[in-house]
């Protein structure tokens, strides 16, 4: 922090806040009934044929106001509040107390502290296709090239006197070969408006924007698995040892009870995965869309 720069209540510098690192942004087809259970009643869900666009944003920041930390944002779906549509975060997990406190109090996010365990192993690469010239031009050819690394990210939510395994995210990343800049894909700039709030830490409804600069390329969607979950009301519980079944995001069933809505989003069908490298994300201070009376 520069001399004379002030901090907000969470210990962060004043907005806008700058985050640098890398991320995976994965879009899923999420059941509309699942998404509606996650969003405030004043919003209208953007849906078609019983589905909306949700998914997750898995980021690793190596430079931020909170230092180095990892983040998993579970996106329930797209909501419509004229004149624009925005993403709604059903759950945010970070492995930083400072980042968690800031997300709760300053941005209105449903942030929780979690542990991110990562394991990287090399895997056998398939034969390289001869017909990927165009894909290379648009930054997608690397998804069909070799060699490859396999990364497993296990996310465990940490609460007082308790921990809970949330999910395992299995990613296949390609090791760069010749032209590193082409491997990373084209450089883009975009703005991602989002709504937040309606939490115990910030009950007001908020709106904020993220200005993103990065290089982006399409990659193979990550497979998501979670601890064994039983779906029939309160009579049944997850297995005693929290073992994982082999259900992944390409075949997993939707989970409809309230406690597991975020897991239902993670296990829904993926349709697109984008890898962000050289990421610079600027988060503006949120504005209040509507307030909640302290008496309600």
């Amino acid at each position: 922090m520069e001399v004379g720069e002030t901090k907000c209540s969470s210990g962060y510098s004043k907005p806008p806040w700058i985050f640098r690192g890398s991320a995976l942004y994965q879009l899923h087809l999420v059941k509309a009934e699942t998404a509606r259970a996650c969003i405030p009643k004043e919003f209208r869900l953007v849906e078609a044929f019983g589905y909306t666009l949700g998914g997750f944003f898995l980021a690793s920041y190596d430079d931020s106001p909170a230092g180095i930390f990892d983040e998993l944002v579970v996106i329930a779906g797209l909501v419509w509040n004229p004149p624009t549509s925005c993403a709604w975060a059903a759950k945010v997990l970070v492995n930083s107390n400072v980042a968690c406190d800031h997300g709760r109090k300053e941005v209105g996010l449903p942030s929780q502290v979690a542990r991110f365990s990562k394991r990287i192993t090399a895997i056998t690469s398939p034969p390289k296709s001869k017909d990927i010239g165009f894909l290379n031009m648009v930054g997608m050819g690397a998804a069909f090239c070799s060699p490859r690394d396999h990364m497993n990210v296990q996310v465990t939510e940490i609460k007082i006197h308790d921990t809970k395994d949330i999910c395992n995210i299995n990613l296949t990343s390609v090791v760069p070969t010749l032209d590193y800049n082409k491997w990373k894909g084209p450089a883009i700039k975009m703005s991602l408006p989002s709504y937040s709030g309606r939490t115990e830490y910030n009950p007001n409804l908020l709106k904020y924007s993220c200005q993103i600069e990065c290089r982006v390329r399409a990659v193979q969607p990550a497979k998501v698995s979670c601890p064994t979950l039983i779906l029939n009301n309160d009579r049944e519980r997850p297995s005693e040892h929290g073992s994982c079944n082999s259900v992944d995001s390409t075949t997993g069933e939707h989970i409809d009870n309230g406690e597991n809505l975020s897991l239902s989003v993670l296990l829904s069908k993926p349709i697109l995965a984008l890898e962000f490298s050289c990421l610079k994300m600027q988060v503006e201070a949120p504005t209040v869309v509507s307030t909640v009376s302290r008496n309600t």
Side-chain angles (χ1 to χ4, degrees):
M1 187 176 69
E2 297 180 0
V3 176
E5 189 176 5
T6 58
K7 290 187 175 183
C8 60
S9 60
S10 63
Y12 270 45
S13 58
K14 289 291 184 179
W17 302 289
I18 306 295
F19 301 80
R20 301 178 190 271
S22 59
L24 175 72
Y25 184 31
Q26 187 156 304
L27 287 174
H28 289 200
L29 281 177
V30 179
K31 281 187 175 180
E33 59 182 342
T34 299
R36 275 195 294 267
C38 299
I39 66 176
K41 294 181 179 179
E42 58 260 56
F43 283 136
R44 181 164 62 89
L45 187 68
V46 179
E47 62 177 290
F49 305 105
Y51 289 90
T52 185
L53 283 178
F56 66 87
F57 183 78
L58 177 65
S60 180
Y61 303 113
D62 50 36
D63 182 21
S64 80
I68 299 173
F69 72 96
D70 297 316
E71 177 182 53
L72 174 63
V73 181
V74 181
I75 302 168
L78 296 178
V79 297
W80 174 252
N81 193 347
T84 185
S85 61
C86 297
W88 182 265
K91 196 178 193 70
V92 178
L93 297 169
V94 293
N95 59 350
S96 163
N97 289 320
V98 175
C100 179
D101 189 53
H102 176 265
R104 288 173 173 177
K105 297 179 180 179
E106 302 296 336
V107 191
L109 294 173
S111 299
Q112 298 290 339
V113 176
R115 180 173 62 248
F116 288 69
S117 303
K118 300 179 182 179
R119 185 177 69 254
I120 301 176
T121 56
I123 61 175
T124 303
S125 57
K128 183 177 179 179
S129 171
K130 297 180 180 179
D131 302 316
I132 59 172
F134 174 74
L135 294 176
N136 278 327
M137 291 176 61
V138 297
M140 295 176 63
F144 302 90
C145 299
S146 57
R148 297 169 183 259
D149 280 341
H150 175 82
M151 177 185 289
N152 175 268
V153 181
Q154 180 176 343
V155 183
T156 304
E157 186 174 352
I158 301 173
K159 296 183 178 180
I160 298 176
H161 307 306
D162 189 24
T163 60
K164 179 182 180 181
D165 288 336
I166 298 299
C167 65
N168 286 302
I169 301 176
N170 298 293
L171 309 93
T172 300
S173 60
V174 181
V175 179
T177 52
L178 298 178
D179 193 323
Y180 186 58
N181 285 328
K182 285 186 179 179
W183 174 81
K184 292 186 294 184
I188 65 167
K189 294 182 180 181
M190 60 180 173
S191 177
L192 295 178
S194 299
Y195 285 104
S196 61
R198 293 291 190 259
T199 69
E200 61 178 307
Y201 302 97
N202 200 324
N204 296 326
L205 184 62
L206 310 174
K207 183 179 181 181
Y208 67 98
S209 67
C210 298
Q211 306 296 326
I212 292 179
E213 298 179 26
C214 65
R215 301 189 74 96
V216 63
R217 67 188 183 108
V219 295
Q220 179 181 341
K223 293 184 178 180
V224 182
S225 61
C226 70
T228 301
L229 293 167
I230 310 298
L231 308 184
N232 295 333
N233 301 321
D234 295 332
R235 293 180 295 103
E236 297 173 327
R237 293 287 184 267
S239 63
E240 292 181 355
H241 304 290
S243 60
C244 289
N245 56 25
S246 297
V247 178
D248 61 48
S249 57
T250 60
T251 59
E253 294 293 329
H254 292 276
I255 303 161
D256 296 323
N257 59 31
E259 182 181 357
N260 297 311
L261 289 171
S262 295
L263 295 181
S264 180
V265 173
L266 290 170
L267 290 175
S268 56
K269 185 176 181 60
I271 58 174
L272 177 66
L274 299 175
E275 182 183 79
F276 294 169
S277 59
C278 307
L279 172 67
K280 176 186 176 183
M281 182 170 64
Q282 178 174 301
V283 180
E284 305 290 341
T287 57
V288 177
V289 176
S290 65
T291 59
V292 173
S293 171
R294 294 182 181 274
N295 295 326
T296 60

